[in-house]
Each structure stands twice: as C-alpha cells, then as structure tokens.
Amino acid sequence: MTGSFFFAMLVATLILFVITRRAAENIMRHHYAQKADFFRRYRVQAGDIVFLGDSITDGAQWDEIFPALPLKNRGINGDTTEGVLRRLPEIIEGQPAALFLLIGTNDLPWFAYRSDEGILNTYEQILAACREKSPATQVFVQSILPRHRSYSRRIQRLNQALQHLADRYGNTFIDLYPHFVDDKGGLRREFTNDNLHLLAAGYACWAEVLAPHIGDLRNDPCQG
C-alpha cells in the first residue's frame, strides 16, 4: 500500500513537472519571438557597439552603464549558442563597430544539454561568420560566467577553449570568470540571488572589467 502511494505521488510529480516545464517553455518562446521581432525592425547600424547574448546580457541597461555611446543590447532570455548563430546575420549585416559576445550558459543544464564539442563548434561558426561578413567589427569574446558550483569544472574547461578560439580568430578574449567566482567555484553571493543572473553589484563589476575596452572604443576616431 505504501509503495503504491509513493509510486502514485512520483507519477503525479513527474506529470506536474512536465506540465510546468512546457508552460515555462511556451512563455520563453513567446518572449524570444517578441524580442527577435523587435530587433529585426530596429536594426544594428554601422558604428554601433552591440552586446549579444542571453538573459545575463539582456538584464543590463548598457546605455546607462556606458552613456553617450551608440550601444545596442541584443541579449534575449534563454538564448543559446545556436540561437545566437541564427540571429547573427541580422546583426553583422549592419557592420557594427564592436560586438561583445557572452553566450553558452544555457547550453549546459541537463534539460538543454549540449556537449562541449557541440558548443565550441557553434561558437566557431559565430566567429567565422563575423570575420567573413563583418571583418572590420571588433569582436570581444567574454568568458562564460560562473553559476552553481556544480558547473565549475565544465565552465572553466569551456573558457580555456574559448580563449584559444578567440586567439585563433584574432579576437579579444575578456576573462570575466575570475572576477565573479567564489572560493567554491560558484557565482559570488553578492552578485546574484539565484546562482545565475546578476544583481546590480554584478553588473558594476562587469562594467569595471569592460571599462578599458569601452574606453578604447570611445577614443577610436571611427566612433566620431
């Protein structure tokens, strides 16, 4: 009797999980489509500085963090390396001055799992397309940020590979990871309330790391 009860509870829990997961995915798909449609209408222009990625990028008001620059935020909640690759043509056709890329964390969880090889292969396609279609764009490859400590080893392994990839394509690698990681391999507590997304202190830290690169762009005569 007890075994049957627990089995029934397990089945009910799994059914509830599936229903909840599908509802969340529907909401995310709608949000993704809304943002992508907006970006298609309000296109990247020559000279723009573009921040491209997922919800971590999307969560910042970059034009407030770095005012008086032609910044465009092209982060979308839930995006992946494959999603960025699909969106890339409409971004690089505008010939932006610079592209700050942070993507990959949503490829890691079990429910959306991709192998390291698959992630890096897609990443290489992104960098190759940038070089081919918009060679004057300065591409900044930012390391994947820490999240729960259970992801630590894999993120560090991917970041090492991303640095080699950036070097091979002549891009600038920005290693955010050591600025954000705690002594156990997770995202520093003062920077997050969910082990993934950033609070204001996290964005302030990120901005400090980016400041020298932004400063170079600000002083670039091509920026006017």
Side-chain angles (χ1 to χ4, degrees):
M1 187 72 173
T2 301
S4 298
F5 172 77
F6 281 114
F7 179 75
M9 289 295 293
L10 177 61
V11 171
T13 300
L14 289 174
I15 291 172
L16 181 61
F17 173 79
V18 170
I19 292 172
T20 303
R21 180 69 193 169
R22 286 182 177 176
E25 287 175 347
N26 283 335
I27 292 171
M28 186 175 294
R29 277 195 294 269
H30 292 156
H31 172 78
Y32 194 103
Q34 292 156 9
K35 296 282 284 191
D37 186 63
F38 181 90
F39 295 157
R40 281 190 291 270
R41 178 173 290 270
Y42 297 95
R43 292 190 172 275
V44 169
Q45 304 293 322
D48 284 345
I49 298 171
V50 179
F51 287 80
L52 178 59
D54 50 40
S55 57
I56 300 173
T57 295
D58 189 19
Q61 300 297 326
W62 293 107
D63 56 342
E64 295 186 34
I65 295 173
F66 297 113
L69 282 173
L71 301 178
K72 282 191 169 65
N73 190 338
R74 291 297 180 263
I76 300 183
N77 183 38
D79 212 356
T80 62
T81 50
E82 290 182 312
V84 162
L85 181 61
R86 285 192 295 269
R87 295 197 286 129
L88 190 64
E90 65 197 45
I91 292 170
I92 57 178
E93 72 178 11
Q95 305 293 301
L99 179 65
F100 287 86
L101 182 62
L102 177 62
I103 195 66
T105 198
N106 290 323
D107 295 82
L108 305 180
W110 64 269
F111 52 81
Y113 181 85
R114 294 188 72 212
S115 67
D116 290 7
E117 182 181 5
I119 294 169
L120 294 169
N121 179 62
T122 305
Y123 221 112
E124 182 163 12
Q125 291 179 65
I126 292 168
L127 299 185
C130 289
R131 185 169 67 180
E132 178 184 356
K133 302 297 185 181
S134 188
T137 299
Q138 296 185 54
V139 178
F140 297 86
V141 176
Q142 301 173 95
S143 63
I144 299 172
L145 292 177
R147 46 188 302 172
H148 189 274
R149 64 185 183 183
S150 61
Y151 292 91
S152 177
R153 289 185 180 179
R154 190 175 183 207
I155 290 175
Q156 290 183 73
R157 187 169 64 243
L158 281 167
N159 283 340
Q160 289 176 355
L162 287 177
Q163 182 167 11
H164 292 313
L165 198 58
D167 290 344
R168 186 147 57 86
Y169 278 84
N171 303 140
T172 300
F173 182 75
I174 302 176
D175 195 2
L176 300 175
Y177 187 87
H179 300 275
F180 286 80
V181 70
D182 65 19
D183 57 2
K184 295 182 180 179
L187 184 56
R188 287 167 57 180
R189 182 174 298 181
E190 68 269 28
F191 289 167
T192 187
N193 59 3
D194 63 0
N195 292 315
L196 177 61
H197 299 95
L198 298 180
L199 298 170
Y203 284 110
C205 177
W206 191 355
E208 186 175 347
V209 177
L210 294 185
H213 304 285
I214 296 292
D216 290 343
L217 293 170
R218 193 188 300 269
N219 295 327
D220 189 338
C222 294
Q223 290 292 319

